[in-house]
Amino acid sequence: MHIGPGRGGGRARLWGPTDFVLAAVLYGVLAIAVFLPVLGHAQRLEYLPVIASVVGAAGTLVLSRRWIAAWPASFLAGAVYGFGPFALGFLRFHPAASLVPALVPWLFCLAAFRHGRRRGSLRDGLYAGVLAIVPFAFVIAFFQCCAAMRFWPVPADRLGAQTWAGLLVPQAVPGVGVHHVPLVLLVVGLAVHALARRAGPLVVVAVSLVLAMSPPVLQVSPVVWLAIPTVYAAVLVGVGAQTLAWAGRADGGALGLALGAAGVLAAVTGVLGLRFSPSSVYFDAARLYGLAAVMSAAILFIGRSGARWHGLRWAILMVVLGLDLILGARLLVSQMR
């Protein structure tokens, strides 16, 4: 399967400002659905995280167009980032802190689309590398300005080992990773990206992960650096969704990978539910991974049958991922407000 825009045998069409406006409106509706329980009691500054979720989602949608051809896949990528455990985890901090995850995807658009137009030369590679530093510079400048005003919107605590448990069970340890069904699609997206052999984004992600696991550097809280790998993960979720929606008989490996990943994750979280307390958190995760397995099996059946039915596939992906996202996001919001 491919991961670049403009391919796919005519299955995708170019989209423009109208499609972006539609996505922004839908993100706004999604924000209301997620934040509705707390909007009635919010003060002026407390509306900032709501706006930041929409802005971050829209930025990820635009950024994803560098690698994704299908509008629904780009829309899902934006929703996964803007309303995922990482972005919503900033509700624990000062409302102004939400500006950082909201703007990071937009700042990466500079490097992504400049490199996409003029590829191949050493000069272009160096220029794209310089532009890729812009988000890092923004994060450092933001926290340097905050420190100069003796204002710390995010605690400078190091990430503990328990934080990474949120990658598997985001409701147990909020603030890291993506929701359950997107995690299954992320596995597929990683496999597709590995086949494409594009190492550039991995270098940027590796640097940000090193900073996230290190003591605070230049007054920046380590957790903030996770915005960069989370953007990368959200885009790969979109790649995974596009792969499942467009897969044919020859792409049974990708469909089988999704089914296998969902089954393994459901089994692991089920076993953890039997071992640890509160078990309900793990069993709820196991059910959602099981739902992802059913979704993958249904799309696998369609693909193996030789039927295209791309509209039905997108409908299945949208419904299952949307259910997971809305339920998970509302739970996270209620936990942290």
Side-chain angles (χ1 to χ4, degrees), residues 10 13 27 40 48-50 52 55 95 111 120 127 136 139 156 164 187 196 203 209 213 222 228 246 261 271 286 290:
R13 66 178 181 85
Y27 288 143
L48 196 55
V50 183
V55 172
Y127 191 73
F136 291 88
V139 171
W164 303 106
V187 173
V203 174
L209 285 174
M213 292 183 285
I228 295 169
W246 286 356
V271 170

Side-chain angles (χ1 to χ4, degrees), residues 118-220:
R118 302 182 179 182
R119 298 185 61 186
S121 67
L122 176 61
R123 180 180 179 183
D124 170 64
L126 292 174
Y127 191 73
V130 171
L131 288 177
I133 299 174
V134 171
F136 291 88
F138 163 74
V139 171
I140 293 172
F142 178 86
F143 280 89
Q144 286 290 308
C145 291
C146 291
M149 296 184 292
R150 303 191 64 80
F151 167 56
W152 289 272
V154 182
D157 302 330
R158 294 188 65 176
L159 298 179
Q162 72 278 4
T163 301
W164 303 106
L167 294 174
L168 188 63
V169 189
Q171 273 69 47
V173 187
V176 64
V178 296
H179 293 292
H180 309 85
V181 177
L183 183 58
V184 174
L185 298 176
L186 173 59
V187 173
V188 179
L190 279 171
V192 174
H193 199 179
L195 292 174
R197 298 180 181 179
R198 295 179 178 177
L202 293 178
V203 174
V204 177
V205 170
V207 171
S208 62
L209 285 174
V210 169
L211 291 170
M213 292 183 285
S214 303
V217 177
L218 298 175
Q219 307 288 341
V220 179

Side-chain angles (χ1 to χ4, degrees), residues 93-129:
F93 312 132
H94 190 278
S98 61
L99 292 173
V100 176
L103 295 178
V104 163
W106 290 99
L107 295 174
F108 271 115
C109 289
L110 300 173
F113 290 103
R114 168 70 183 190
H115 189 58
R117 289 197 300 267
R118 302 182 179 182
R119 298 185 61 186
S121 67
L122 176 61
R123 180 180 179 183
D124 170 64
L126 292 174
Y127 191 73

Side-chain angles (χ1 to χ4, degrees), residues 6-24:
R7 306 177 190 174
R11 288 175 291 185
R13 66 178 181 85
L14 296 176
W15 54 277
T18 303
D19 299 283
F20 176 79
V21 171
L22 173 62

